[in-house]
Amino acid sequence: MVGMALACSLASMPLTKQLNVAIIDSNPALEGKTCIKKEDPPDPRVSTVTPATISLFKDVGAWQYVQQHRHAYFDKMQVWDYTGLGYTRYNARDVDKEVLGCVVENKVLHSSLLSCIQNTDLKKRIYPSRLNSMTLHQNHLPTMMDSTSSSFHASLAKLELSDGNSLYAKLVVGADGAKSHVRELAGFKTTGWNYSQNAVICTVEHKTENQCAWQRFLPSGPIALLPVGDKFSNIVWTMNPKESSACREMNENDFVKALNHALNYGYGPHPQSNLLGNNGDIFSWFRRDLTVSANECFEVPPDVVKLVSGRMVFPLSLRHANNYASKRVVLIGDAAHTVHPLAGQGVNLGFGDAFALSRIISEGIAVGTDIGEVHLLKKFEVERKRENIMMMAILDGFQKAYSVDFGPLNVLRAAAFHGAQYISPLKRSIISYASGEQRLPLFS
Amino acid sequence: MASKLLNRFPTLNNTAYHILSLPFLRSTVASPFLVHTRLYSEDVSSRVSNRSSLNQVELAKFSSIADTWWDAEGPFKPLHVMNPTRLAFIRSTLCRHFQKDPYCARPFEGLKIVDVGCGGGILSEPLARMGATVTGVDAVEKNIKIARLHSESGPETANIEYCCTTAEKLVEEQREFDAVISLEVIEHVADPAEFCKSLAALTVSNGATVVSTINRSMRSYATAIIAAEYILHWLPKGTHQWSNFLTPQELVLILQRASITVQEMAGFVYNPLTGQWTLSDDISVNFIAFGTKNSQ
């Protein structure tokens, strides 16, 4: 997805649309026009796209294709935990926007980007195969003795594919996911650790339409319920590996019961809805600048009625490549960084990378730079590393803060919930940062 | 303020010779050079007997580090880092002057450009990628060899014509170009006025001439000489002679006497926190001037 977004973005800018792009992806969806049928239940693999990503998609003309398929905007979000000591509700109207984000199936995003590219005159070729090996010539200058090598390919990167094709490229972009082969071949080291948690994802159905995003932090990990459109929702339930295998094995009815238990009445009480009136005068000086959601009561998420897809389990980890770029190679998306799904930010960081890289490439071409030049790619790295690392640190912090069940820490977390709920500037900052509209978490 | 410094040297007088000696603490050049003479004259008529603008001392300096031209981390790193900024200025002024579409990836298609003092070709190659027909000349043979080898690595740059010659010889061959670009060269030539006359002779009428150099100011002494050479070690010691720097007014004057009217000037400013150069109005250290040849 992130690679396709890069190609789309290059196709949409005047300086880069004359580039020759080769897309190497063994995903069968790229081969033919695999139709996405409207009647199919939603695939459990979905992504939450932030308003910043939506506007980037609109800029390159890909969002219109997403709108032709199922997608679900949501404008409300509620976050609470099992202790029942506090909750926070977010509303898009707190920051005068209409949506907090949109949940779209990955296959819809992918096919929209593909349709978008096919409607431009970008010179592209799709290679439905895998990368076998890659050679990057490291010497910056052929030696004086070697003056017979007048082949233009001597300084380019050479890629060998599994179907036997050989390609020469000025720039190789690794957008091949968390287990990136390009990253391995190029020798980039990574830092990170595995969370001892797995995520169980599936699609469920309700009696009525769900228009709010729900997230409840349980002792072993958060469970998130995201609307996907029609009466369906997507579940992302993080738990430790033993429980995740148990969840996958149990029969459907038991699983639905477990879901309702986790979302609703299990593990602890519901938080009290403290309307500002009876919560004491300590918050009275905030009353002037109230957000819409500060007045909303705690709501119980809608009941899960039926499971409509299979259950998938993924291990979770935090991984960050120490460098994103070296001569002729650059990494974007999950290949460069993987995060915990608890705030729905992972793919948005990736899309941010893709659009930033295409802008930097365009600036490089404007001054005649060779696009595989390290200086140029390092500019991209410096720009994105800062933002990615900041987001990763915050998410990791949340993950650690919520994985400990310790009295005083629980109270602290409850205080944090109350603070976010009632302190309007803080809430607005949080919403803006999570929507991608704001670069720094606190000081705008 | 430059004159205050010069007044400390007793040899300064109206007629003309100005000797400034800068001992090299450590030089990359094999033979020791302690005294460097430059002609400095109030009235710009040339007093040099040989009609070449070559300065042998400078040539030797560059010849010794020629192999490192394309090493992005080597002695030429500042030029590599500054390159995109210089190209941005060249792109915007030339596109405007020749009325080319700035959103085109190859706006210089059809333009003949000469890069005087091309060194290893770090300016010539991007110009060629932007579509220009580029000729690169340099007086140091080694530089031309390096430039030729490097340009063979890509189809867009393989057509650059490199010659080991001087601007004066090109004038003798009666070559003419739409744009003549000479960046960071004029501070290394023996006679800047003559050099500018040669640059002008190479430009077609109504063509463009772009010259960049370092200002002769207190700030540039502190930045380009002390900071860059002695403290940060960005440049080998002795790369620049402060007395050879030209002030913007002097450059405009000698270009004008060579029939080139300077239309735009900009400065380059380095931000040490981000490590980036940007174009700005501050011409107190590095500056670049774009001029057009008066139509005859």
Side-chain angles (χ1 to χ4, degrees):
Chain A
M1 279 194 293
V2 175
M4 297 296 273
L6 175 67
C8 247
S9 184
L10 289 174
S12 71
M13 291 196 288
L15 286 167
T16 50
K17 59 183 183 201
Q18 27 78 23
L19 292 172
N20 266 323
V21 179
I23 301 175
I24 302 167
D25 192 345
S26 51
N27 186 340
L30 280 178
E31 298 213 19
K33 294 273 190 182
T34 50
C35 288
I36 300 179
K37 294 198 239 2
K38 216 175 170 319
E39 314 81 54
D40 280 346
D43 201 57
R45 308 193 63 165
V46 303
S47 299
T48 315
V49 279
T50 56
T53 307
I54 296 177
S55 71
L56 288 171
F57 267 64
K58 282 187 178 148
D59 286 341
V60 297
W63 193 250
Q64 47 175 323
Y65 299 101
V66 174
Q67 288 172 316
Q68 292 168 5
H69 296 105
R70 179 168 36 223
H71 60 288
Y73 289 107
F74 60 93
D75 57 354
K76 294 197 284 278
M77 185 150 100
Q78 178 175 294
V79 186
W80 73 111
D81 70 353
Y82 65 96
T83 58
L85 293 173
Y87 70 98
T88 313
R89 282 189 72 89
Y90 298 100
N91 193 316
R93 298 203 169 53
D94 296 341
V95 287
D96 301 319
K97 293 264 158 54
E98 301 209 341
V99 294
L100 285 175
C102 185
V103 184
V104 191
E105 290 159 78
N106 287 355
K107 65 184 190 205
V108 168
L109 281 174
H110 199 235
S111 84
S112 310
L113 290 167
L114 183 63
S115 311
C116 177
I117 296 185
Q118 275 161 349
N119 280 341
T120 62
D121 25 73
L122 180 73
K123 281 174 282 197
K124 63 187 174 297
R125 223 185 119 183
I126 298 181
Y127 291 90
S129 59
R130 280 202 186 73
L131 179 66
N132 269 353
S133 77
M134 185 167 75
T135 335
L136 302 160
H137 289 253
Q138 291 302 325
N139 53 331
H140 64 267
L141 197 64
T143 58
M144 295 290 215
M145 307 296 157
D146 196 9
S147 52
T148 53
S149 73
S150 56
S151 160
F152 293 146
H153 296 156
S155 67
L156 299 177
K158 181 174 179 192
L159 298 140
E160 260 144 47
L161 305 183
S162 57
D163 59 7
N165 281 324
S166 271
L167 301 175
Y168 289 96
K170 281 195 227 166
L171 179 64
V172 179
V173 179
D176 43 350
K179 300 198 191 64
S180 170
H181 198 38
V182 172
R183 184 180 68 208
E184 200 186 302
L185 287 172
F188 287 114
K189 302 256 177 321
T190 59
T191 321
W193 44 87
N194 290 326
Y195 294 124
S196 52
Q197 288 176 325
N198 286 353
V200 177
I201 62 172
C202 59
T203 316
V204 298
E205 196 175 355
H206 305 286
K207 282 203 210 79
T208 56
E209 198 151 341
N210 172 22
Q211 278 175 335
C212 176
W214 312 88
Q215 177 145 296
R216 187 180 190 204
F217 285 94
L218 301 175
S220 55
I223 177 167
L225 182 73
L226 304 165
V228 251
D230 305 328
K231 297 204 188 92
F232 298 108
S233 287
N234 180 267
I235 294 265
V236 180
W237 191 357
T238 310
M239 58 183 82
N240 63 44
K242 272 205 301 282
E243 288 172 27
S244 68
S245 328
C247 273
R248 190 171 34 186
E249 304 307 319
M250 61 168 83
N251 70 45
E252 286 196 17
N253 284 333
D254 285 342
F255 185 64
V256 169
K257 281 209 202 84
L259 280 175
N260 283 322
H261 186 253
L263 283 170
N264 200 344
Y265 38 80
Y267 300 95
H270 289 158
Q272 299 281 5
S273 298
N274 287 316
L275 293 179
L276 281 180
N278 43 356
N279 198 31
D281 293 319
I282 34 170
F283 289 123
S284 61
W285 39 293
F286 290 131
R287 230 173 269 181
R288 244 178 296 148
D289 193 21
L290 269 191
T291 49
V292 172
S293 50
N295 274 328
E296 289 172 11
C297 300
F298 175 81
E299 280 178 26
V300 175
D303 256 356
V304 171
V305 164
K306 202 168 86 144
L307 184 67
V308 294
S309 80
R311 283 156 269 175
M312 298 184 171
V313 178
F314 297 101
L316 299 177
S317 62
L318 177 87
R319 194 127 273 129
H320 186 246
N322 294 346
N323 288 308
Y324 295 173
S326 75
K327 190 167 159 106
R328 304 224 178 274
V329 184
V330 66
L331 301 176
I332 56 174
D334 276 0
H337 43 77
T338 43
V339 296
H340 198 279
L342 65 80
Q345 293 294 332
V347 82
N348 294 295
L349 291 178
F351 285 131
D353 285 352
F355 292 109
L357 181 63
S358 79
R359 199 189 71 238
I360 297 233
I361 290 181
S362 166
E363 283 168 16
I365 291 189
V367 287
T369 326
D370 179 356
I371 55 178
E373 202 45 71
V374 181
H375 278 309
L376 188 69
L377 301 174
K378 285 293 176 192
K379 269 206 281 186
F380 158 76
E381 180 176 326
V382 162
E383 185 183 320
R384 288 306 299 176
K385 230 187 204 179
R386 209 171 25 215
E387 297 191 22
N388 292 342
I389 290 192
M390 206 155 34
M391 180 65 83
M392 287 169 73
I394 292 177
L395 294 179
D396 195 50
F398 272 118
Q399 194 273 339
K400 293 197 161 47
Y402 281 100
S403 49
V404 180
D405 183 14
F406 179 52
L409 193 59
N410 292 353
V411 173
L412 259 179
R413 292 201 301 248
F417 275 126
H418 278 115
Q421 171 74 345
Y422 297 115
I423 301 178
S424 315
L426 179 63
K427 182 182 281 194
R428 290 203 180 97
S429 271
I430 294 176
I431 297 181
S432 297
Y433 182 60
S435 307
E437 311 284 355
Q438 193 175 298
R439 287 296 183 83
L440 298 171
L442 284 179
F443 311 104
S444 58
Chain B
M1 75 192 147
S3 54
K4 269 195 237 149
L5 183 72
L6 296 172
N7 279 332
R8 285 156 63 190
F9 294 93
T11 51
L12 180 69
N13 56 37
N14 278 349
T15 51
Y17 280 84
H18 165 221
I19 303 173
L20 189 73
S21 78
L22 263 183
F24 295 150
L25 300 177
R26 197 189 69 188
S27 172
T28 54
V29 179
S31 40
F33 292 98
L34 290 180
V35 171
H36 164 231
T37 317
R38 187 180 97 97
L39 188 65
Y40 180 74
S41 165
E42 282 301 326
D43 99 86
V44 188
S45 59
S46 166
R47 305 239 183 151
V48 182
S49 50
N50 60 327
R51 303 229 55 238
S52 160
S53 55
L54 293 179
N55 180 330
Q56 296 301 333
V57 171
E58 303 285 344
L59 289 189
K61 261 197 291 207
F62 280 103
S63 189
S64 62
I65 46 174
D67 294 317
T68 58
W69 264 106
W70 284 100
D71 179 6
E73 303 298 316
F76 289 108
K77 181 171 173 182
L79 273 181
H80 280 277
V81 180
M82 210 200 292
N83 213 25
T85 321
R86 318 190 291 183
L87 282 159
F89 178 83
I90 292 175
R91 184 196 169 91
S92 92
T93 47
L94 261 49
C95 276
R96 225 189 339 264
H97 180 69
F98 292 109
Q99 278 152 9
K100 300 283 183 183
D101 174 18
Y103 288 115
C104 173
R106 293 171 64 89
F108 296 158
E109 203 80 51
L111 287 181
K112 286 201 308 249
I113 304 190
V114 66
D115 179 8
V116 180
C118 62
I122 60 173
L123 184 73
S124 310
E125 290 196 10
L127 288 174
R129 283 195 200 100
M130 291 203 259
T133 312
V134 181
T135 307
V137 303
D138 199 280
V140 178
E141 176 72 36
K142 264 175 125 180
N143 288 348
I144 295 290
K145 283 212 180 76
I146 302 269
R148 258 197 210 116
L149 266 176
H150 196 268
S151 71
E152 275 162 17
S153 53
E156 309 129 324
T157 52
N159 291 329
I160 302 177
E161 181 198 348
Y162 283 113
C163 309
C164 178
T165 174
T166 63
E168 290 75 24
K169 289 218 187 69
L170 281 183
V171 173
E172 280 167 28
E173 291 167 24
Q174 296 186 325
R175 303 276 309 260
E176 275 195 335
F177 300 90
D178 298 307
V180 173
I181 306 188
S182 181
L183 304 187
E184 312 296 320
V185 174
I186 199 166
E187 68 261 25
H188 297 285
V189 302
D191 187 347
E194 273 309 304
F195 183 66
C196 283
K197 285 216 173 78
S198 308
L199 293 183
L202 289 171
T203 322
V204 300
S205 67
N206 264 327
T209 309
V210 183
V211 175
S212 94
T213 183
I214 307 182
N215 196 344
R216 190 180 68 246
S217 63
M218 286 290 93
R219 241 186 99 190
S220 74
Y221 189 76
T223 330
I225 310 273
I226 297 186
E229 290 181 15
Y230 291 86
I231 300 182
L232 298 173
H233 301 296
W234 278 4
L235 302 171
K237 294 195 179 81
T239 305
H240 288 126
Q241 292 295 314
W242 188 79
S243 56
N244 284 354
F245 292 164
L246 290 172
T247 64
Q249 296 86 342
E250 285 166 359
L251 183 64
V252 170
L253 192 65
I254 55 180
L255 282 173
Q256 205 164 56
R257 295 193 184 185
S259 323
I260 294 187
T261 318
V262 172
Q263 312 268 6
E264 280 185 55
M265 205 182 276
F268 299 129
V269 171
Y270 180 70
N271 180 345
L273 296 174
T274 59
Q276 301 285 336
W277 288 88
T278 42
L279 282 173
S280 93
D281 287 328
D282 177 4
I283 51 176
S284 60
V285 187
N286 294 73
F287 69 98
I288 186 167
F290 158 73
T292 51
K293 175 105 176 268
N294 301 335
S295 44
Q296 278 122 5

